[in-house]
Amino acid sequence: KQRAAQMTAVLYIGVQNLPIRHPDADAHAWVTVRFGVASEIPKQNATPGNFIEEARRALNLAKTERDRTA
């Protein structure tokens, strides 16, 4: 998980440093990104759906944090 978090931080900072205007946005004038990161060691009963749900929860948490700090 640490490697995935590091890669996400690099991508996040990279996009934040790009001056991309978001002309149709009501809340922010600049394009922003949020990531949901998940990683796991495959188990016998694991399904792709479980993994996707984990990433979805992480993304929703990131969006909640964004809305709280906006």
Side-chain angles (χ1 to χ4, degrees):
K1 285 188 178 186
Q2 183 178 4
R3 180 74 174 141
Q6 290 171 339
M7 291 172 57
T8 301
V10 169
L11 291 169
Y12 176 80
I13 291 168
V15 171
Q16 292 298 99
N17 288 330
L18 295 173
I20 303 172
R21 281 220 168 265
H22 194 323
D24 297 328
D26 294 332
H28 300 285
W30 303 98
V31 170
T32 61
V33 294
R34 294 295 180 264
F35 296 93
V37 178
S39 67
E40 73 179 31
I41 297 171
K43 298 179 182 109
Q44 188 75 21
N45 60 349
T47 67
N50 297 130
F51 188 72
I52 291 168
E53 186 57 33
E54 178 86 16
R56 184 175 291 132
R57 278 195 296 270
L59 179 57
N60 288 337
L61 178 62
K63 288 179 178 180
T64 300
E65 290 297 318
R66 174 205 57 204
D67 293 343
R68 190 177 310 156
T69 61

